[in-house]
Amino acid sequence: MLLNSEMRPREKSLGLAYLMLIGGHLGVHRFYLKRTATAIVQLVLFLIAALGYIVMVTTSGFGEGEVGIGTVIGLILFFVAGAPLFVWVIVDLFLIPGMVRGLNAQIEGEIMQQLEWIRNNPQAQRGNYGGQPPQGAPHQPYPPQPPYPQG
């Protein structure tokens, strides 16, 4: 029961991760799932593709029969960055459940480690350390959340 009350505010939601995949070209779902490096790569690919699209649209002559060098460069940028990003987001459709399970298992392991430390160190009381964990305490990356809404 204690594990559930500690796990609830920290665990990641599969539904929310899929909802964030709608903005997947920006890497939002990967930021949410603590995959920061690959989220930044997705964001950079999106920005390159967007830049290519803007260059392609602004330099194309709609009434003219010729294609300018700016249009070609924009088209290349758009497809070189946009195509891999599109495929990557499609692949993420299938990877997200495993990423959520893995992160939730990691969070549960951290909580179990903290609970084990508290059980083995009954003299340690919460809150008597000025915001710092006591010596030897496992790292707690998230602040403890109360089991009820504050109001």
Side-chain angles (χ1 to χ4, degrees), residues 53-120:
Y53 180 77
I54 291 169
V55 167
M56 181 177 56
V57 169
T58 57
T59 59
S60 65
F62 289 107
E64 305 164 13
E66 297 181 15
V67 176
I69 188 73
T71 305
V72 172
I73 291 172
L75 192 63
I76 290 170
L77 282 175
F78 179 73
F79 281 109
V80 164
L85 181 60
F86 177 76
V87 171
W88 194 355
V89 170
I90 298 298
V91 169
D92 274 356
L93 278 170
F94 301 100
L95 295 180
I96 283 179
M99 287 192 282
V100 170
R101 275 192 308 273
L103 185 57
N104 284 340
Q106 177 186 351
I107 291 169
E108 184 177 335
E110 290 171 1
I111 292 170
M112 292 298 291
Q113 188 179 32
Q114 292 165 6
L115 292 175
E116 183 70 25
W117 186 88
I118 290 170
R119 191 182 82 176
N120 292 333

